[in-house]
Amino acid sequence: GYFYSRWNKCIHSSHDLSDIVFIDNYIFNKDVFIQFNSTVGEYVGYTEHGVYNAEKWNSNSGQLQSERAQVERYCKHNAEISQAAIADKS
């Protein structure tokens, strides 16, 4: 059978959360075929199908804005909650 998944993650190393990077991976049969990285600011394709979709998705300004907003909406929100929980225990 075939296996499709979508994994996203937030990476940061400072307490002020100024360096957060949002990465959204689209995976087919354990290979990333397209990725959005907030540092790059657009989709990057790694296979023929991924390159085709990246070009298509990058031309949709609404979709790009939505992905770029994930740093604030998803990453910083959850990082602040995690940091507060850690700070409360010390």
Side-chain angles (χ1 to χ4, degrees):
Y2 297 103
F3 179 73
Y4 171 82
S5 64
R6 182 177 174 188
W7 291 11
N8 52 43
K9 59 185 167 184
C10 303
I11 302 170
H12 64 94
S13 59
S14 66
H15 292 291
D16 65 0
L17 307 178
S18 62
D19 63 344
I20 288 184
V21 176
F22 174 71
I23 298 174
D24 192 3
N25 291 312
Y26 295 79
I27 303 161
F28 183 73
N29 284 349
K30 300 181 183 180
D31 290 323
V32 174
F33 69 95
I34 191 166
Q35 180 182 75
F36 178 86
N37 183 321
S38 65
T39 304
V40 177
E42 63 182 23
Y43 293 96
V44 176
Y46 295 103
T47 64
E48 184 179 343
H49 181 65
V51 170
Y52 171 80
N53 281 314
E55 290 172 359
K56 189 175 174 182
W57 296 351
N58 286 333
S59 66
N60 183 340
S61 61
Q63 187 169 355
L64 280 178
Q65 272 186 313
S66 177
E67 284 282 22
R68 291 174 183 151
Q70 296 299 338
V71 172
E72 293 291 328
R73 190 189 71 76
Y74 178 71
C75 293
K76 286 190 179 179
H77 171 74
N78 289 320
E80 288 169 353
I81 292 170
S82 296
Q83 295 236 348
I86 292 167
D88 288 346
K89 293 183 182 199
S90 57

